[in-house]
Amino acid sequence: MINFKIESHLQKAVLSAYPDADPTRILIRPCPDPKFGDYQCNSLMNLAKGMKKNPRDVAAEVLKHLDLGGLGDSPEVAGPGFLNFRISRNALSHVMNEAFKGEHLFYRKPEAVKSFVVDFSSPNVAKTMHVGHIRSTILGESISRTLRLLGHSVVSDNHIGDWGTQFGKLLYGWKSILDREALERKPVEEMERVYKAVNQQCEQDETVLEACRNELVRLQSGDTENRKIWESMIQLSRGEFDRIYQRMDVGFDVTLGESFYNDRLISLVNELEDAGIAEESKGARMVFFNDHPELKNNPAMVRKKDGAANYMTTDLATLEYREKTWQPDEVIYVTDSRQQLHFKQLFAAYRRWKPDTKVKLTHAWFGSILGEDGKPFKTRTGKTIRLSLLLDESIERAREIIEQKNSELPEESKEDISREIGLGAVKYADLLQNRQTDYTFSWEKMLALNGNTAPYLQYAYTRIRSIFRRIDPEDWKTIVAQGKSEDLIILEREEEFQLAKQLIHFGLVLEKVIEECRPNHLCSYLYELAGCFARFYEHCPVLKAEPAEKRSRLAICDLTAKVLCQGLNLLGINTVEQM
Ligand code: ARG
């Protein structure tokens, strides 16, 4: 593919100018401003920095060695040392035809496939999943899907919170105030109620607190009754989580909760102590990071005063297990911003403990969802909003839109379409934001048919599909067959070039999504793609064109639909044929 070929020509040029450079670090990306070119390389600046040379001189030197072989015209050095390229129109038609022949869909499989563990969603047992978990689930799923599409291997792991001091209170409440009938109907809600009630009792009555502690000790020492109750709590919670995952079309390769690592915790702390990494401090065991500028004042606790291990200990054991079991090149954790310190400590402690490890550790953190009042998103009565109800409401609202737009559709289609629109809107609103900014939740905005929303993109897709409903399927089959051996796509009009350029950016955008764990790049890309398509469709008649032009344009429509569908799929969003 042309952009990837440009990249490899550039890498060759860099190597011949600077034989010691690492060519894999030389990348091209779509030019942020099309005025200056189609692609831009800004990796030469880092190269120059490493060699202590002037970046513009380095860029000029690389240019002397560069031969684009007709793929693009005269690259330019710009700004502090960028290279801007314009691709040639011939080369552009060529990639389009390759894609129509089925050779690729504008992305490439990497030369070196990597392996990843993606830790996401990870809700807590006996607590309902709320909107805070939504971002982790949606982001994690999208990152995993993109990695997989590009050929990497992924283990997705749902690290559920199924261990900890809360189980003392839960066990005490289960035995004293559980409403069996409510448990049957809405298990997690009932457990949550029990927990809150016991918590209140504890605040007023020391003896209850003591009783809860005893229940916890009994659980930890393997008491049969408490183990059994604890297991039912997990089972009931997982049943409810799974129903939501199924609705959201989210899947995990493994669900290894915190409790899975229990047997390793004591020996782990001992090991850290023996190695001089953890030390005693006021009865607890701490890891100090004296030479770490950021963590100097934030030691990590790995054993509490009462001897119990904690979240940190479990995460150390988890990471060790993951490295041993899957040998990942990278582990990605998707959680909210409040856990940043935890993960900094975890990564630093782990590297001290396993100095030879090569694993890359990434905390892909995200901000919060705000209500329209700018405060954390809550129900009117101030409760946290539950994920399942949120999805119900979105689907219901989508249904109203469908009723208005296309009331003749059969009942069954209306139901399917509203579901996909409703789910898509929630997912897209979340993914569209740079994950590190807080965003304001707004039904109106996310369900709007005009604007940067899932319904808009799903609608754009249906518009393309409707073109194909207006031609004879047999004719289309013939065109597809013909396209296998002939170059059917001829780009002539400016709108066709623009659309084709946008299409061929797809793979580079996916690479950027992975590099930064930011699916919002893909959202912006798809939105622009839909815009390019709308301009093309407005200016370039498809069905009324001359036969050769019609074939070419139908092929362009087909490729656009495929990229839209594939792109939305990576965001966890399904397309529909009509709406
Ligand atoms: N259960 C945790 C929470 O709800 C998230 C766990 C994230 N993963 C991890 N390995 N710590 O906050």
Side-chain angles (χ1 to χ4, degrees):
M1 251 176 301
I2 167 174
N3 37 15
F4 300 129
K5 280 191 200 138
I6 291 183
E7 196 176 83
S8 77
H9 283 301
L10 182 63
Q11 291 173 346
K12 270 193 212 119
V14 168
L15 267 188
S16 64
Y18 303 105
D20 294 334
D22 173 5
T24 61
R25 311 215 101 149
I26 307 298
L27 303 172
I28 62 164
R29 292 287 171 256
C31 208
D33 185 343
K35 260 207 315 274
F36 301 122
D38 299 320
Y39 293 98
Q40 183 170 80
C41 168
N42 51 26
S43 340
L44 295 179
M45 290 186 288
N46 265 335
L47 179 68
K49 209 166 137 198
M51 300 187 299
K52 302 210 165 62
K53 288 195 161 129
N54 176 333
R56 286 188 64 100
D57 295 346
V58 170
E61 187 59 29
V62 169
L63 273 195
K64 280 193 212 151
H65 294 257
L66 181 65
D67 173 13
L68 285 183
L71 295 176
D73 17 276
S74 61
E76 283 163 18
V77 181
F82 303 124
L83 281 182
N84 289 336
F85 304 86
R86 236 172 256 286
I87 36 183
S88 78
R89 296 194 156 191
N90 268 342
L92 190 57
S93 320
H94 182 71
V95 198
M96 291 291 284
N97 279 302
E98 278 174 354
F100 194 62
K101 288 185 169 72
E103 290 172 22
H104 58 69
L105 191 63
F106 310 110
Y107 58 86
R108 62 177 161 185
K109 307 262 164 168
E111 269 158 36
V113 182
K114 287 195 188 157
S115 61
F116 292 80
V117 173
V118 187
D119 174 324
F120 69 98
S121 193
S122 310
N124 300 317
V125 164
K127 280 196 189 157
T128 49
M129 261 203 245
H130 54 76
V131 287
H133 292 114
I134 197 174
R135 290 197 95 172
S136 175
T137 309
I138 295 174
L139 272 164
E141 175 71 18
S142 178
I143 293 167
S144 306
R145 285 185 185 207
T146 312
L147 286 168
R148 286 198 174 106
L149 183 77
L150 294 189
H152 298 292
S153 75
V154 176
V155 176
S156 51
D157 185 359
N158 191 1
H159 188 72
I160 55 173
D162 60 359
W163 197 251
T165 46
Q166 72 273 27
F167 284 100
K169 288 175 184 163
L170 280 162
L171 282 161
Y172 176 85
W174 184 284
K175 291 178 185 176
S176 57
I177 54 168
L178 187 70
D179 176 345
R180 294 256 159 209
E181 207 196 320
L183 186 74
E184 212 121 295
R185 269 186 291 115
K186 292 194 168 160
V188 178
E189 240 176 273
E190 172 58 10
M191 288 188 271
E192 208 167 44
R193 181 194 70 82
V194 165
Y195 179 78
K196 282 187 187 144
V198 174
N199 221 4
Q200 261 179 5
Q201 290 181 23
C202 286
E203 271 164 30
Q204 284 146 16
D205 188 345
E206 270 288 313
T207 59
V208 178
L209 191 62
E210 193 49 40
C212 293
R213 274 198 208 113
N214 286 335
E215 294 294 355
L216 184 66
V217 171
R218 285 177 60 197
L219 172 70
Q220 286 166 340
S221 54
D223 172 84
T224 340
E225 187 195 7
N226 280 11
R227 288 267 335 166
K228 257 203 167 133
I229 299 178
W230 169 70
E231 274 160 18
S232 352
M233 292 188 214
I234 295 180
Q235 207 191 5
L236 290 168
S237 306
R238 285 194 56 177
E240 200 154 310
F241 299 156
D242 285 343
R243 267 194 301 284
I244 292 188
Y245 294 140
Q246 204 177 11
R247 272 183 97 178
M248 295 183 50
D249 201 6
V250 166
F252 297 94
D253 299 308
V254 290
T255 299
L256 298 177
E258 294 179 12
S259 68
F260 180 78
Y261 303 95
N262 279 349
D263 295 343
R264 175 70 176 111
L265 304 183
I266 293 179
S267 60
L268 190 156
V269 177
N270 291 338
E271 234 178 276
L272 290 179
E273 271 199 278
D274 292 346
I277 297 170
E279 42 192 288
E280 214 258 59
S281 169
K282 295 187 198 131
R285 298 293 180 283
M286 311 288 288
V287 177
F288 290 94
F289 307 98
N290 293 330
D291 44 4
H292 193 299
E294 252 188 297
L295 297 176
K296 225 190 324 206
N297 300 319
N298 288 300
M301 190 188 287
V302 289
R303 209 179 96 178
K304 294 193 254 180
K305 225 175 25 215
D306 63 7
N310 62 7
Y311 190 50
M312 183 61 69
T313 334
T314 311
D315 256 331
L316 284 166
T318 307
L319 188 46
E320 177 190 50
Y321 177 86
R322 287 172 176 165
E323 269 218 276
K324 268 199 191 135
T325 315
W326 300 298
Q327 294 91 38
D329 295 299
E330 182 170 350
V331 182
I332 300 174
Y333 298 84
V334 190
T335 84
D336 71 40
S337 60
R338 290 170 301 179
Q339 298 200 27
Q340 283 180 83
L341 178 61
H342 169 76
F343 283 104
K344 278 184 191 151
Q345 293 173 324
L346 172 67
F347 299 169
Y350 190 74
R351 295 208 185 280
R352 279 224 347 240
W353 182 30
K354 314 264 179 191
D356 295 331
T357 183
K358 300 230 158 40
V359 70
K360 180 175 173 197
L361 299 170
T362 302
H363 181 210
W365 57 269
F366 52 84
S368 14
I369 308 181
L370 305 175
E372 294 195 71
D373 55 2
K375 300 208 181 102
F377 190 39
K378 296 261 163 77
T379 62
R380 242 174 252 137
T381 53
K383 290 200 188 125
T384 44
I385 293 179
R386 293 180 31 217
L387 187 48
S388 60
L389 296 181
L390 184 91
L391 298 178
D392 290 343
E393 180 163 354
S394 189
I395 294 170
E396 224 168 87
R397 284 172 183 260
R399 172 75 190 220
E400 281 163 30
I401 297 174
I402 300 303
E403 291 291 356
Q404 276 167 20
K405 236 186 129 43
N406 207 343
S407 62
E408 276 104 82
L409 284 171
E411 185 54 31
E412 205 182 312
S413 324
K414 277 187 196 162
E415 207 165 285
D416 291 343
I417 296 170
S418 325
R419 191 185 56 243
E420 298 308 343
I421 305 295
L423 294 175
V426 172
K427 292 182 182 180
Y428 192 85
D430 207 85
L431 292 170
L432 170 65
Q433 310 297 326
N434 173 341
R435 61 180 160 78
Q436 293 177 340
T437 46
D438 297 345
Y439 79 93
T440 305
F441 193 93
S442 151
W443 289 118
E444 281 68 36
K445 268 197 207 138
M446 65 198 237
L447 281 158
L449 284 172
N450 284 315
N452 195 353
T453 64
Y456 168 75
L457 294 174
Q458 285 164 315
Y459 183 61
Y461 177 82
T462 63
R463 277 185 62 191
I464 307 179
R465 297 300 305 152
S466 79
I467 301 170
F468 287 90
R469 279 197 293 277
R470 282 181 271 149
I471 59 170
D472 183 345
E474 288 307 312
D475 289 350
W476 176 238
K477 264 193 208 151
T478 317
I479 296 175
V480 173
Q482 206 182 348
K484 291 266 178 267
S485 52
E486 273 172 65
D487 283 352
L488 294 189
I489 298 182
I490 18 174
L491 303 174
E492 267 165 359
R493 305 208 32 158
E494 191 49 34
E495 292 82 10
E496 291 177 311
F497 282 110
Q498 293 308 331
L499 176 56
K501 276 184 193 171
Q502 181 67 9
L503 282 170
I504 78 166
H505 284 347
F506 187 45
L508 290 175
V509 171
L510 298 184
E511 291 179 10
K512 197 164 157 189
V513 167
I514 294 187
E515 262 162 44
E516 300 179 15
C517 294
R518 284 186 213 282
N520 59 301
H521 295 309
L522 177 57
C523 297
S524 313
Y525 166 82
L526 292 174
Y527 180 60
E528 268 173 50
L529 177 64
C532 288
F533 181 79
R535 284 186 289 281
F536 156 83
Y537 198 51
E538 190 186 332
H539 293 103
C540 310
V542 176
L543 297 175
K544 291 204 181 95
E546 297 305 316
E549 219 167 39
K550 178 170 164 184
R551 273 198 310 258
S552 167
R553 289 181 180 166
L554 280 171
I556 297 175
C557 290
D558 179 61
L559 289 174
T560 309
K562 285 201 172 106
V563 170
L564 267 178
C565 180
Q566 179 65 77
L568 284 170
N569 173 280
L570 294 177
L571 303 174
I573 299 171
N574 292 324
T575 47
V576 291
E577 289 297 304
Q578 50 181 336
M579 61 190 263

